[in-house]
Amino acid sequence: DAGVTQSPTHLIKTRGQQVTLRCSPKSGHDTVSWYQQALGQGPQFIFQYYEEEERQRGNFPDRFSGHQFPNYSSELNVNALLLGDSALYLCASSAGKRYEQYFGPGTRLTVT
Amino acid sequence: GEDVEQSLFLSVREGDSSVINCTYTDSSSTYLYWYKQEPGAGLQLLTYIFSNMDMKQDQRLTVLLNKKDKHLSLRIADTQTGDSAIYFCALGGYNKLIFGAGTRLAVHP
């Protein structure tokens, strides 16, 4: 049974560019959450998708947007990249309103 | 606002018990979690406790919750070198999780 998968593993972008990160949830899971983890810090909640809708959003600007597809996979888009967007982006999946969230390995984004 | 605090570093000898502590301000969370992160990896869910419980034991792991003091702890019995990692305390439910900054556990011979 595959766990949560994310792509790409690493990404280098330039300030002002746009980036798309992808996540496939664990088999049987229909809910995807995205987190940003800056170096030396704990993950910060960006948003959560359930039934292709954004169910909850954290304190992130509108430059951060997302999408969930009918197969429950999800994308995180970040526009107008800033140096401060450099971080590990983690995707977590869960089943409906169950309380266990399982994380993928993350995508390391570097903005230069 | 919601705040979760952890001590940054803990060093223990192999075979000893480790106790990692966490304090929080928000008492409305349904569940409290412990996650483990090894270098360059994502987060591994270790265990979690429902907010109306005081204790949960899961093999070498024991979670204690003191709701009055808003204090959560994770005890690892017989700590091994493979337990060296960063441990995160998190609060939440089925949606948003709020994490502490993590405690780096170093296990030495």
Side-chain angles (χ1 to χ4, degrees):
Chain A
D1 176 26
V4 180
T5 59
Q6 293 186 243
S7 63
T9 306
H10 295 90
L11 204 51
I12 300 175
K13 289 287 189 178
T14 304
R15 270 181 303 176
Q17 285 188 317
Q18 178 263 344
V19 68
T20 298
L21 310 182
R22 295 175 177 82
C23 171
S24 290
K26 193 174 161 64
S27 177
H29 286 186
D30 56 8
T31 302
V32 173
S33 302
W34 287 92
Y35 292 81
Q36 180 195 66
Q37 185 180 19
L39 200 61
Q41 298 183 23
Q44 299 283 319
F45 175 78
I46 303 174
F47 42 54
Q48 184 182 79
Y49 277 84
Y50 172 68
E51 292 187 342
E52 301 180 52
E53 296 284 333
E54 184 182 285
R55 178 156 71 179
Q56 189 177 19
R57 188 179 183 92
N59 189 24
F60 277 80
D62 292 344
R63 298 187 297 109
F64 290 77
S65 63
H67 187 76
Q68 186 178 35
F69 299 93
N71 68 353
Y72 309 121
S73 67
S74 176
E75 288 182 350
L76 164 66
N77 300 292
V78 187
N79 294 323
L81 284 167
L82 304 173
L83 294 179
D85 295 331
S86 294
L88 180 68
Y89 287 85
L90 295 162
C91 166
S93 75
S94 53
K97 292 191 175 184
R98 287 191 61 82
Y99 294 100
E100 304 98 332
Q101 291 191 28
Y102 294 90
F103 283 78
T107 294
R108 172 74 61 189
L109 172 65
T110 302
V111 181
T112 61
Chain B
E2 305 131 332
D3 192 25
V4 179
E5 292 193 1
Q6 300 180 239
S7 51
L8 292 181
F9 188 74
L10 176 66
S11 178
V12 299
R13 194 185 307 270
E14 192 174 11
D16 286 351
S17 292
S18 306
V19 179
I20 302 171
N21 296 300
C22 170
T23 58
Y24 57 93
T25 56
D26 174 30
S27 55
S28 66
S29 297
T30 308
Y31 279 89
L32 299 96
Y33 305 80
W34 285 103
Y35 281 88
K36 175 184 179 183
Q37 187 174 38
E38 297 183 76
L43 275 67
Q44 175 191 353
L45 177 61
L46 290 176
T47 186
Y48 58 92
I49 188 168
F50 190 48
S51 57
N52 69 353
M53 296 172 62
D54 297 324
M55 186 183 87
K56 179 180 179 182
Q57 188 148 3
D58 186 357
Q59 299 181 326
R60 292 192 298 126
L61 305 179
T62 302
V63 179
L64 294 178
L65 175 59
N66 182 326
K67 290 181 285 294
K68 174 177 171 288
D69 294 338
K70 297 183 182 177
H71 182 266
L72 180 73
S73 68
L74 174 69
R75 178 178 179 271
I76 305 173
D78 186 26
T79 311
Q80 302 298 309
T81 54
D83 295 322
S84 293
I86 300 176
Y87 291 79
F88 291 95
C89 161
L91 278 61
Y94 63 85
N95 42 28
K96 172 183 177 181
L97 294 181
I98 303 163
F99 286 83
T103 298
R104 181 178 296 275
L105 174 65
V107 183
H108 55 88

